[in-house]
Amino acid sequence: MKLTTAPIHAVSRWVRRQPPKVKAFLAVVLGMAALVLLRFIVHDHDNLFVAAEAVHSIGISVLIYKLMKEKTCAGLSLKSQELTAIFLAVRLYCSFVMEYDIHTILDLATLGTTLWVIFMIRFKLKASYMEDKDNFALYYVLVPCVVLAVLIHPSTSHNILNRISWALCVYLEAVSVLPQLRVMQNTKIVEPFTAHYVFALGVARFLSCAHWVLQIMDTRGRLLVALGYGLWPSMVIISEIVQTFILADFCYYYVKSVFGGQLILRLPSGVV
């Protein structure tokens, strides 16, 4: 085991010594390498979006297992779950009125489990809810997302309300994990099930981002034209990239902790 983890620890120490700009460059290079690998491994890139939904569902399942086994919701952000439920509900509505497909079924299942988690935190396990740590003000993300959705949305032939709703769920999804990151920032220690859940979110976000990037590459940019004109196509890609990089730092420390054999994830200051 020591022979296996020694190179990993050496690389980890080297990365930690690098300045922020070098770390950002390494993250971009690693992301591009992963995209190239996915492009050759996955032939139908639509499957990446389905995979992203599936991984998100797995993450929620981990939360359900935690709540049922440990009978505690300590370390979980109720506000993140509520934001997730909002964007899933809006996206589910858009799926029903705009494009009913496999994504609709996956969103319905994920929304149902998310609402169950919210119910458990609010009522059944309220005594263990760390309300003082879950102190992210939701209006900091809700108001900007609503304003952006009204100003920048698809230019398709659908009803204006549906187009604004579509944009709103894209923007909300990009920032829905921020309250959970604030909780982890406040506690500095992340127990295993919560860490698994947030890592699953990071993987799901990356797969979703990879889906969009590879689809654009496959269509030689025609997908951007299909999304409409103006700023909307750019905002879709920016939202996908933002939600991926928001969790990139946490995922690095998660992988490092797993390879180091640590069950409890301890985050350095300023990580999230």
Side-chain angles (χ1 to χ4, degrees), residues 44 58 69 75 83 106 112 125 128 146 153 179 182 193 216-217 226 236 240 272:
D44 185 356
I58 292 173
K69 180 184 178 183
L83 284 177
L106 289 170
L125 303 174
S128 59
V146 171
H153 50 263
R182 172 62 68 85
F193 288 116
I216 292 172
M217 294 172 64
V236 171
E240 293 292 336
V272 295

Side-chain angles (χ1 to χ4, degrees), residues 59-200:
I60 294 292
S61 299
V62 170
L63 281 192
I64 292 176
Y65 181 77
K66 164 190 168 71
L67 297 178
M68 294 182 66
K69 180 184 178 183
E70 300 189 348
K71 305 296 183 182
T72 176
C73 61
L76 294 180
S77 168
L78 174 62
K79 294 179 179 179
S80 259
Q81 296 303 314
E82 290 173 339
L83 284 177
T84 299
I86 292 172
F87 89 70
L88 283 172
V90 175
R91 192 161 72 187
L92 193 60
Y93 163 77
C94 292
S95 294
F96 275 120
V97 300
M98 299 171 74
E99 49 172 10
Y100 187 88
D101 53 19
I102 183 64
H103 304 151
T104 308
I105 299 173
L106 289 170
D107 279 343
L108 183 61
T110 307
L111 176 60
T113 52
T114 301
L115 290 175
W116 185 86
V117 170
I118 292 173
F119 171 78
M120 292 296 288
I121 296 176
R122 274 198 173 277
F123 302 104
K124 296 294 185 179
L125 303 174
K126 187 177 180 180
S128 59
Y129 171 49
M130 304 168 68
E131 187 173 0
D132 59 322
K133 304 295 183 182
D134 194 11
N135 56 8
F136 190 94
L138 288 184
Y139 57 82
Y140 283 151
V141 294
L142 282 174
V143 174
C145 286
V146 171
V147 172
L148 270 177
V150 172
L151 295 177
I152 305 175
H153 50 263
S155 55
T156 59
S157 58
H158 298 94
N159 179 278
I160 181 65
L161 177 61
N162 295 340
R163 286 185 281 147
I164 291 176
S165 298
W166 185 5
L168 179 62
C169 71
V170 169
Y171 300 144
L172 280 179
E173 182 180 16
V175 296
S176 61
V177 76
L178 288 178
Q180 180 62 59
L181 294 181
R182 172 62 68 85
V183 171
M184 295 189 300
Q185 184 183 53
N186 289 336
T187 59
K188 296 301 180 189
I189 296 178
V190 187
E191 56 81 37
F193 288 116
T194 303
H196 298 334
Y197 163 68
V198 177
F199 180 72

